[in-house]
Amino acid sequence: MKKVAFIFPGQGSQSVGMGKDFFENSDIAKDMISKASVRLGINFEELLFEENDNLGKTEFTQPAILLVSSIANAIFKEKCDIQAEFVLGHSLGEFSALVSSGALDYLDAVELVHRRGLFMTEACSGGGAGMMALVGMSDEDVERVCEEQRASGKQVWPANYNMDGQLVLAGIKADLESLVDTFKEAGAKRAIVLDMSVASHCELLTSAVENLKPYLEEYLKEEFLSVISNVTAKSYTTKDEAIELLASQLTKPVKYKHSVSANAENVDAFIEFGNGIVLKGLNRKICKSVPTLNVSDFASLEKTIEALND
């Protein structure tokens, strides 16, 4: 059997109808969605499967994405007896990875990331926070421009290192908007201010750190399967490490491409669990030698199991 890593997408991967194939065809999915609805007092059937305004709000987006990823992973584990060498998530996806690793019960995780979303929203409330996608610049040039602009009083930071030439910034939206031409002059092919009202993975979320820690302390288990940290791109396996790394993840950039590159040699394939193929697309650019499979519905589940058995 191939050696694999389980990987989990973050915010931005959501869409109406995600997880519906699992829900309609799996008792596991029905049970998990029902219990999550009771735990949070949120009707996840409506949130996931019907047009609504809440799916785009981070305190709802985060538990929705985690729930669908956890369902996909649970159904896969029932069908395929294979243990991951390590698990990895992009931003929010690190919490889905922790569920898969045994560090978190999925219901505790659903509540935890719901609160995480609320704390993030609260930290950014009234501050005009935002994010920007950059394409075509090196990490070093982006970091240099951000540092120069912070020295002049603007609040902008690198937030997500997705792949070479693709980086997301976070900060004050007005500052980001004012720097579109600056980044283009510095070499960016595209500089797009995103439709977001939070600024993830930067210093604007400092107040959320201490709010989140008590819930991490309450819900995390002592030991678990190896998880790759967004903050360090290295593995951790204990509760104490998890608390510090997940708290600091709020204010530190996501080193996704570093995490994949540094650990790809240890596996024959990555498997992405959850809605869409966002990480599969990134991985094709980061590490061409290791394929990425995906499980987003029963059709992709069957293809992935077939590929693992070849």
Side-chain angles (χ1 to χ4, degrees), residues 40-113:
L40 284 191
I42 293 171
N43 187 328
F44 276 97
E45 288 184 50
E46 290 183 1
L47 181 64
L48 294 171
F49 309 142
E50 299 178 13
E51 292 290 342
N52 64 86
D53 295 329
N54 282 337
L55 191 59
K57 298 176 182 176
T58 189
E59 65 266 34
F60 295 98
T61 311
Q62 294 195 34
I65 291 171
L66 182 142
L67 181 57
V68 172
S69 288
S70 297
I71 287 169
N73 191 233
I75 292 173
F76 172 84
K77 286 179 176 179
E78 184 194 45
K79 302 283 187 182
C80 187
D81 184 20
I82 184 172
Q83 180 162 306
E85 300 296 309
F86 61 86
V87 296
L88 166 66
H90 186 292
S91 185
L92 160 71
E94 189 167 346
F95 289 84
S96 305
L98 285 156
V99 173
S100 182
S101 76
L104 283 170
D105 175 80
Y106 85 92
L107 287 174
D108 290 340
V110 164
E111 180 182 338
L112 183 61
V113 300

Side-chain angles (χ1 to χ4, degrees), residues 128-204:
M131 302 188 78
M132 171 192 278
L134 291 177
V135 177
M137 287 182 71
S138 70
D139 296 346
E140 293 76 16
D141 285 343
V142 173
E143 290 161 357
R144 174 181 53 78
V145 174
C146 286
E147 189 173 341
E148 290 171 354
Q149 294 301 322
R150 288 198 303 274
S152 70
K154 295 188 184 295
Q155 297 186 71
V156 292
W157 295 267
N160 297 333
Y161 291 86
N162 289 332
M163 66 183 196
D164 287 346
Q166 187 189 111
L167 204 153
V168 177
L169 305 183
I172 298 299
K173 183 172 282 188
D175 290 346
L176 293 168
E177 290 171 342
S178 74
L179 295 174
V180 168
D181 290 339
T182 300
F183 280 109
K184 288 183 176 179
E185 289 168 5
K189 295 177 181 177
R190 298 175 72 189
I192 305 165
V193 178
L194 304 175
D195 183 20
M196 299 184 70
S197 58
V198 295
S200 302
H201 311 293
C202 75
E203 293 180 17
L204 297 181

Side-chain angles (χ1 to χ4, degrees), residues 218-273:
E218 180 178 357
Y219 292 139
L220 281 163
K221 296 179 172 61
E222 291 294 337
E223 295 182 350
F224 39 86
L225 176 75
S226 177
V227 181
I228 305 301
S229 166
N230 283 184
V231 174
T232 65
K234 298 177 181 178
S235 69
Y236 62 96
T237 57
T238 68
K239 179 176 181 176
D240 287 344
E241 292 173 292
I243 291 171
E244 291 307 313
L245 290 167
L246 292 169
S248 62
Q249 190 219 54
L250 285 167
T251 59
K252 302 292 185 183
V254 170
K255 295 181 178 178
Y256 181 75
K257 71 172 186 178
H258 308 84
S259 299
V260 172
S261 298
N263 296 284
E265 64 182 16
N266 298 319
V267 295
D268 302 309
F270 294 95
I271 307 174
E272 179 176 5
F273 293 92

Side-chain angles (χ1 to χ4, degrees), residues 4-49:
V4 301
F6 296 164
I7 61 175
F8 300 87
Q11 199 158 331
S13 64
Q14 72 272 11
S15 65
V16 174
M18 63 181 184
K20 193 169 186 179
D21 184 51
F22 288 136
F23 178 76
E24 291 178 343
N25 297 287
S26 166
D27 289 338
I28 289 175
K30 289 184 179 71
D31 183 62
M32 291 178 70
I33 287 174
S34 174
K35 288 178 177 175
S37 297
V38 172
R39 177 67 173 262
L40 284 191
I42 293 171
N43 187 328
F44 276 97
E45 288 184 50
E46 290 183 1
L47 181 64
L48 294 171
F49 309 142

